[in-house]
Amino acid sequence: MLENFFWSSSPGVQLQHGEHDPFLVLLSLAVCWIASSQALRHAAFARLATKPQLRCWSIAGGSLALGIGIWAMHFIGMLAYSLHETVQYDLLRTVISILPGIAASAVALTLLSRNEISPKQLMIGGLIVGVGIATMHYSGMAAMRMSSPHKYSPFWFAVSLIVGVALATLALWVRFGLNRSSIKHDTLRKTLAALIMGGAIAGMHYIAMLALRVTADHSSHGIAASNDKLILALTIALITLAIGGLIAQANGLIHYRTRWQKVDMNEARLSALVNMAADGIICIDNRGLVTDYNPAAEAIFGWTAEEVLGQNVKMLMPSALSGQHDHYLDRHETGQRNAQPPLKNKISEVLGQNKQGALVPLRLALSQAEARGQRIYVGLLTDLTDRKKTEHQLHIAATVFDHSYEGMVVLDANRKVVDINPAFERMSGLSRKIAKNKEFISLFIHDDEDSRWHEIWTQIGRNGHWQGACTMRHDAHTHQISLTAVRDEQQRLHHYIAVCYQRIDIPLTVSI
């Protein structure tokens, strides 16, 4: 069998020497380069795929496009080689020879779709791809039908395999190598990668053609029409490029649809977050017109989105402040045109005005962003009305705490002193700093009265309150103590409040 495949020199046997058509050679290279470019694009699609199905489709579609492209390059390259006799091709074998090229392309694209590749993977992948392309080449050559027998030089056959594996390894490495190179321009890197990869694939074919040996024993000396070769080559090239283009277009549309779905989902998610936000969110353009206005902002100002969108944001400000807004916005826009730093989470307290004309205290976090080339300003508004009321109530409570004549003590849930007021400082003789973290009962004389305090805490736990007399350790004076337990919304003990005042015993006088 090997005798029918490998050629050995015999005395008196003459060999035919063929010639390559330069135009068809260039056409085969162009087809290979375009197919390589499409393969790299499919590999990029596979890397960016958000779903396993899309990744598989990208690799499968790219393998088909690249495999047909490699086969077309080989077939056009074979048409470019002219022998002095008519050459025909077995249709079934010619079609079957596409399969090894598609399989080799699948391995190549699987590796190219990765972000990184190890040296071991590169060597194994190069071996498989190189052998696959060589199999496609020699199975395609087996489809040739000539009156003269054709065989292959063992030396050049071995060289073609070695070079094929080496060039396939280079074709796989080139994308990763160029990505790590100093070439910054992305289009230039992609173009160079396609040229090198296409040249590597085509190089294997033309080196393998050096192994072809055709004897001249039974040559019919008929010359195939060059016009037929040209038409056939152009037809194959156009069909190959059309198939590759259709596959690339379908792949691109699928990925575009997937990206559109992702963008649509992100927009829906963002819309849900904005609409469900507890704080008001208002966006304006560089003219001060409201472009976004969420439900929380409606609750703050009383204006609906239909009433506010497209209107100037000054309608939400007191008249004393709205007159300054245009000047501030114009000044900031001028600064942006002069490359000043952008606004980023500038926080301030401002006054808004609701639909009823009432002033609303607000916390404003202001930032700017770019949306489709246009500058927008995003304001995050927190209604401070309840907080201001709480602060006012706390101020009143603090005033009462500090100025009350009765001594007041705040205890934590472990009955340790958190704070005392000035009146209790005078009663206990302790400063706030010293009193903090002391056990409350340590401030009183309680010899052999541990059981009494146990009963006191039990009564407070049961009734929430206790009142009675205790002797202060500091001066041995008896004081009236009122202890109250404070609980949170879940009725869990949070802290205690103790109110102390000195009991004054009024002497009983008897008039006679």
Side-chain angles (χ1 to χ4, degrees):
M1 184 176 179
L2 292 179
E3 294 178 356
N4 296 327
F5 186 82
F6 289 117
W7 174 82
S8 59
S9 60
S10 300
V13 176
Q14 296 181 353
L15 297 177
Q16 293 191 50
H17 299 285
E19 299 175 350
H20 281 95
D21 186 327
F23 176 77
L24 293 181
V25 171
L26 290 176
L27 181 61
S28 70
L29 292 175
V31 170
C32 190
W33 287 328
I34 294 173
S36 298
S37 178
Q38 291 177 342
L40 291 174
R41 186 183 178 192
H42 285 288
F45 281 151
R47 284 196 304 276
L48 298 175
T50 57
K51 298 179 180 179
Q53 297 88 340
L54 289 177
R55 176 182 170 84
C56 292
W57 162 249
S58 298
I59 293 176
S63 301
L64 183 61
L66 180 59
I68 294 176
I70 296 174
W71 175 86
M73 183 279 300
H74 278 259
F75 196 79
I76 295 172
M78 289 162 61
L79 291 177
Y81 188 72
S82 298
L83 290 168
H84 296 285
E85 63 175 287
T86 302
V87 179
Q88 296 179 338
Y89 295 90
D90 182 277
L91 180 60
L92 180 60
R93 291 191 179 187
T94 301
V95 173
I96 292 176
S97 66
I98 300 177
L99 299 180
I102 294 176
S105 300
V107 175
L109 283 181
T110 301
L111 295 174
L112 290 174
S113 63
R114 300 182 178 183
N115 293 320
E116 293 294 337
I117 186 172
S118 66
K120 182 179 179 180
Q121 291 172 333
L122 180 64
M123 297 301 295
I124 295 175
L127 177 62
I128 295 173
V129 173
V131 171
I133 294 176
T135 303
M136 185 203 68
H137 172 82
Y138 287 106
S139 60
M141 294 289 288
M144 295 173 60
R145 293 292 178 265
M146 297 183 295
S147 59
S148 302
H150 63 279
K151 298 181 181 180
Y152 302 96
S153 165
F155 172 77
W156 283 108
F157 176 81
V159 170
S160 68
L161 291 180
I162 295 172
V163 173
V165 171
L167 292 179
T169 305
L170 173 64
L172 293 176
W173 172 87
V174 65
R175 183 187 75 81
F176 303 98
L178 288 177
N179 284 345
R180 292 190 291 267
S181 68
S182 59
I183 300 175
K184 302 299 181 183
H185 201 283
D186 187 57
T187 303
L188 180 58
R189 284 205 312 269
K190 290 180 180 178
T191 302
L192 285 176
L195 289 174
I196 295 173
M197 185 175 181
I201 295 171
M204 186 271 163
H205 167 81
Y206 288 105
I207 291 175
M209 290 299 292
L210 295 175
L212 181 62
R213 297 290 185 267
V214 180
T215 61
D217 294 341
H218 307 286
S219 175
S220 63
H221 300 289
I223 302 175
S226 60
N227 288 336
D228 292 342
K229 284 188 175 183
L230 179 60
I231 293 172
L232 181 58
L234 289 175
T235 302
I236 292 173
L238 290 175
I239 293 175
T240 301
L241 296 179
I243 293 174
L246 288 174
I247 294 174
Q249 187 71 15
N251 207 342
L253 288 174
I254 292 174
H255 279 268
Y256 174 79
R257 182 174 178 271
T258 303
R259 287 192 175 187
W260 178 84
Q261 289 176 340
K262 186 177 180 180
V263 170
D264 185 62
M265 180 60 70
N266 288 338
E267 288 183 355
R269 188 180 294 112
L270 179 60
S271 178
L273 290 174
V274 170
N275 291 332
M276 296 300 294
D279 292 327
I281 299 175
I282 300 177
C283 299
I284 63 173
D285 59 18
N286 56 4
R287 296 175 296 168
L289 303 182
V290 178
T291 58
D292 291 282
Y293 184 82
N294 75 335
E298 292 182 354
I300 292 173
F301 293 100
W303 298 95
T304 65
E306 291 76 11
E307 295 173 311
V308 175
L309 291 176
Q311 303 297 320
N312 197 292
V313 74
K314 293 188 295 184
M315 68 179 293
L316 305 176
M317 301 177 183
S319 57
L321 299 177
S322 62
Q324 305 173 11
H325 182 263
D326 289 339
H327 172 70
Y328 174 80
L329 187 59
D330 291 340
R331 186 178 62 183
H332 181 73
E333 284 290 315
T334 302
Q336 291 302 291
R337 288 190 290 270
N338 295 328
Q340 289 188 1
L343 282 174
K344 187 176 181 181
N345 204 30
K346 180 182 178 182
I347 299 176
S348 58
E349 289 193 10
V350 298
L351 285 176
Q353 182 172 292
N354 63 19
K355 190 174 183 178
Q356 290 72 34
L359 298 180
V360 183
L362 300 167
R363 177 183 180 272
L364 171 64
L366 185 61
S367 301
Q368 72 179 61
E370 297 290 331
R372 299 187 184 277
Q374 295 183 350
R375 187 178 299 110
I376 63 171
Y377 298 91
V378 182
L380 187 65
L381 299 166
T382 304
D383 190 347
L384 300 180
T385 302
D386 292 338
R387 198 184 84 176
K388 293 293 183 182
K389 289 181 180 178
T390 302
E391 289 178 352
H392 181 65
Q393 293 171 352
L394 289 175
H395 177 71
I396 294 175
T399 302
V400 172
F401 186 77
D402 288 335
H403 295 84
S404 175
Y405 182 76
E406 288 82 9
M408 293 186 178
V409 184
V410 180
L411 310 176
D412 62 18
N414 294 321
R415 304 161 191 168
K416 291 186 178 181
V417 176
V418 175
D419 198 8
I420 62 175
N421 71 340
F424 194 82
E425 284 186 283
R426 293 191 299 270
M427 292 179 184
S428 65
L430 299 173
S431 66
R432 281 184 171 181
K433 184 177 180 181
I434 295 175
K436 283 185 178 180
N437 295 320
K438 280 184 173 293
E439 294 281 351
F440 180 67
I441 63 175
S442 68
L443 305 178
F444 303 92
I445 299 174
H446 53 91
D447 292 339
D448 299 326
E449 293 187 4
D450 287 343
S451 59
R452 183 193 177 208
W453 277 105
H454 178 74
E455 293 176 0
I456 290 173
W457 297 123
T458 301
Q459 183 177 343
I460 295 173
R462 182 171 56 250
N463 303 326
H465 178 75
W466 175 84
Q467 187 173 6
C470 293
T471 303
M472 190 75 68
R473 183 179 295 277
H474 169 65
D475 56 6
H477 288 165
T478 300
H479 295 263
Q480 196 71 17
I481 306 295
S482 175
L483 274 168
T484 303
V486 180
R487 299 181 180 276
D488 60 17
E489 295 177 352
Q490 285 76 36
Q491 295 302 309
R492 294 174 299 192
L493 180 64
H494 190 270
H495 62 279
Y496 298 90
I497 299 292
V499 179
C500 307
Y501 56 93
Q502 186 173 355
R503 188 173 68 178
I504 301 175
D505 294 327
I506 301 176
L508 180 64
T509 58
V510 180
S511 298
I512 300 176

